[in-house]
Amino acid sequence: MTQDIDVTELTVAEVQDGLARGAFTVEALTSAFLARIVRDNPRLNAIIFLNEAALDDARAMDARRASGEALGPLAGIPVVVKDTMDMVGFPSTGGWSLLTSKHGGTDLMPGTDSPVVARLRAAGAIILGKTNVPILSASGTHANNSWAGPTLNAAAPDLVPGGSSAGTATAVAASMAVLGLAEETGGSIQNPAAAQGLVGIKPSFGLVPNAGVMPLASQRDVVGPIARCVRDAALTLDVLAGFTMEDPKTVAGVGNIPQGGYASLLSETALAGRRLGLYGPGWRNQPLSAETEALYARAQDEIRARGATLVADPFAGSGFAELRQPVSDEYPFDARGLESAPYDMHRYLERMGPEAAVRGFADFARATAAGDAFAPGGMLHYLHRLPGFDAALANPLVPPPMPEFIAARAAYRRIFDGVMESQGLDALVFPQMREAPPPLHADGLIQETTVSEINIAGLPGVTVPAGFHASGAPFCLIFVGRMWSEALLLALAHDYEAATRHRRAPGLAA
């Protein structure tokens, strides 16, 4: 029966319909996806740990379905999760050889699932495995330095896959899973989604719990879905979003989640009558490449055809662009908020439980002494340039005050909300990248448009496929809006997606 199931580009709705009609079972579907993984993963290197219990979980789901039991919204849907998300029975390696016994390092074995993994399980999803990341999720471009080796871009194998959620994006793009979980501190959902022609949701800060997820910056980190269509991403956000005492900041989302769920508000007329702001030097004084400018112009025509009004450079004169502070020419990334990394890592490791081999930052420092991430040459050495980082590293048990980051978040929010109000804007729509993604093994970085502005501000964004560069690299838009505006952004993206149908499956050789 596995031979008869074509898993290519399968959506949640198509899986649910097939199960309801008896066209296949969850076990047969899971077997088909596992066969796809066996076929394509050795080359693409997206999935680094397979869940050997996946078929047992599938059989159990078939039994529950046969008994007439009420099932969750993702019942029987094959999914993947990012390596950094705690999942009982699997190490969380952070892509680092020093944190995996496979390379002589120390395994970080969680005692409990992270809330997002627990919510996937409760929704009935079949977790196929965990996906590749660069060391400590410290690259928004690729996973070239992972202990598991580089991950390829399924849509454009010679180009970067996007990071740090490279493995999740590649697994979804290559139809090795229906959807997957990703996490972002500085572009790690939007970059890989855009690099591979996918829908990614970077949610409002505090909407989705990220307890039990290896941190970079607790005041920036967010978890969100990557999928091949807007509806599947919205259905996953319905499962992930909401309050939990395991992550008290999620109380901020209470009252800001639509009652019927994000998927229930999708519309194919959502763009009609909307006012959308366009990319320009008022947002960031970095121009688009000629090819990206042409693709963006075409997308603007497509959006106008849906009845929207577009406003050129609404942030001009607002002072917004001047807020950006890249670390250096070598690190063109605004890292404010990452000064809490030692404290955040300590809190994360404490949650691992009393049986864990590494239970705090002191244990972590000993386990990784051979490649200290904060020492010269280490992946995170640039953090020493942030005010307050050295003090935080000297005493990782004390929460740092981070006044510079708080001031930056307040300034971004104040100007953003003011411009949206004064210009009467519903949302922004930008090309997610200023130019095509760079070659896989070159030194180039993804030249995005909304990292770290929306990461520091905590604002939501939704990527959606919008065409292809001449090289074959996907071109994606990103819709950005006010805090808690995910429902609107998803509706806008769904309208655009339904009208244009730019997404296409990559040509993967059998």
Side-chain angles (χ1 to χ4, degrees):
M1 193 168 187
T2 299
Q3 301 288 324
D4 299 329
I5 304 175
D6 182 3
V7 301
T8 305
E9 300 287 293
L10 268 184
T11 66
V12 171
E14 288 167 345
V15 171
Q16 291 173 334
D17 177 66
L19 292 172
R21 291 187 293 105
F24 47 77
T25 63
V26 179
E27 180 182 359
L29 181 68
T30 302
S31 294
F33 273 100
L34 291 173
R36 181 78 164 222
I37 291 169
V38 168
R39 190 192 83 176
D40 292 334
N41 196 59
R43 177 168 55 88
L44 298 173
N45 198 34
I47 298 169
I48 59 173
F49 294 110
L50 271 178
N51 180 13
E52 295 182 0
L55 283 175
D56 290 337
D57 294 342
R59 293 183 192 104
M61 184 58 65
D62 284 328
R64 293 172 60 190
R65 179 178 291 277
S67 71
E69 181 180 336
L71 302 175
L74 296 180
I77 305 298
V79 306
V80 291
V81 301
K82 188 174 179 176
D83 168 55
T84 51
M85 299 175 184
D86 287 355
M87 181 173 166
V88 172
F90 293 84
S92 295
T93 76
W96 206 0
S97 61
L98 297 177
L99 296 179
T100 173
S101 59
K102 288 177 176 287
H103 284 255
T106 302
D107 283 333
L108 303 183
M109 300 297 295
T112 57
D113 287 337
S114 58
V116 289
V117 169
R119 287 176 177 182
L120 275 186
R121 292 192 196 274
I126 306 299
I127 301 176
L128 300 177
K130 299 188 77 180
T131 59
N132 200 18
V133 299
I135 294 176
L136 294 179
S137 299
S139 168
T141 299
H142 52 68
N144 287 350
N145 64 4
S146 169
W147 64 262
T151 292
L152 301 189
N153 183 328
D158 294 336
L159 305 181
V160 296
S164 62
S165 305
T168 291
T170 296
V172 174
S175 294
M176 290 189 280
V178 174
L179 52 88
L181 295 194
E183 180 272 340
E184 172 157 332
T185 308
S188 293
I189 295 172
Q190 53 177 304
N191 283 359
Q196 304 205 42
L198 297 164
V199 177
I201 304 175
K202 184 271 170 199
S204 300
F205 180 79
L207 180 65
V208 176
N210 63 311
V213 180
M214 191 178 291
L216 264 181
S218 63
Q219 298 308 302
R220 289 176 55 151
D221 297 345
V222 294
V223 173
I226 287 179
R228 291 185 294 272
C229 68
V230 173
R231 183 173 295 279
D232 285 1
L235 287 167
T236 311
L237 187 61
D238 285 338
V239 168
L240 299 178
F243 173 72
T244 172
M245 277 295 290
E246 290 188 84
D247 196 342
K249 70 175 177 291
T250 53
V251 72
V254 174
N256 291 306
I257 299 172
Q259 272 193 318
Y262 295 100
S264 71
L265 297 177
L266 299 183
S267 165
E268 294 185 10
T269 59
L271 285 164
R274 298 294 185 177
R275 283 175 59 84
L276 307 179
L278 299 175
Y279 182 77
W283 175 271
R284 189 192 289 186
N285 193 20
Q286 292 182 326
L288 308 178
S289 72
E291 185 181 21
T292 298
E293 192 77 67
L295 289 166
Y296 189 32
R298 186 190 70 183
Q300 291 175 45
D301 289 341
E302 292 168 333
I303 291 169
R304 287 192 191 95
R306 304 299 296 162
T309 298
L310 301 181
V311 179
D313 196 17
F315 287 83
S318 69
F320 189 90
E322 287 70 31
L323 295 177
R324 186 168 175 266
Q325 294 183 11
V327 173
S328 66
D329 290 340
E330 183 184 3
Y331 297 100
F333 165 65
D334 192 334
R336 285 175 292 180
L338 274 74
E339 54 266 46
S340 66
Y343 175 75
D344 296 335
M345 181 61 76
H346 179 73
R347 293 294 302 273
Y348 164 73
L349 293 169
E350 281 187 318
R351 188 188 178 279
M352 283 251 166
E355 303 303 317
V358 178
R359 296 173 57 187
F361 192 82
D363 289 345
F364 174 81
R366 284 190 290 271
T368 61
D372 185 352
F374 306 111
M379 288 298 301
L380 299 176
H381 181 253
Y382 67 89
L383 296 184
H384 288 280
R385 304 185 190 197
L386 294 175
F389 175 75
D390 287 343
L393 183 61
N395 194 350
L397 276 63
V398 176
M402 306 204 305
E404 293 83 7
F405 169 74
I406 296 303
R409 173 165 283 179
Y412 268 125
R413 292 261 189 98
R414 183 172 58 253
I415 295 176
F416 184 90
D417 289 345
V419 168
M420 297 295 282
E421 183 67 28
S422 66
Q423 297 283 340
L425 298 177
D426 295 292
L428 312 175
V429 60
F430 297 168
Q432 196 276 333
M433 297 183 200
R434 296 189 298 109
E435 60 187 41
L440 176 62
H441 294 301
D443 293 329
L445 301 174
I446 283 178
Q447 299 298 320
E448 38 60 41
T449 63
T450 51
V451 179
S452 291
E453 290 88 344
I454 69 173
N455 301 121
I456 292 175
L459 300 169
V462 175
T463 65
V464 64
F468 293 86
H469 293 271
S471 65
F475 169 72
C476 279
L477 298 174
I478 183 167
F479 288 90
V480 175
R482 294 177 175 90
M483 289 292 291
W484 320 116
S485 66
E486 284 85 354
L488 171 61
L489 300 181
L490 286 163
L492 299 176
H494 179 69
D495 186 352
Y496 179 80
E497 174 189 69
T500 59
R501 301 292 178 187
H502 284 300
R503 164 74 191 167
R504 67 176 185 233
L508 299 174

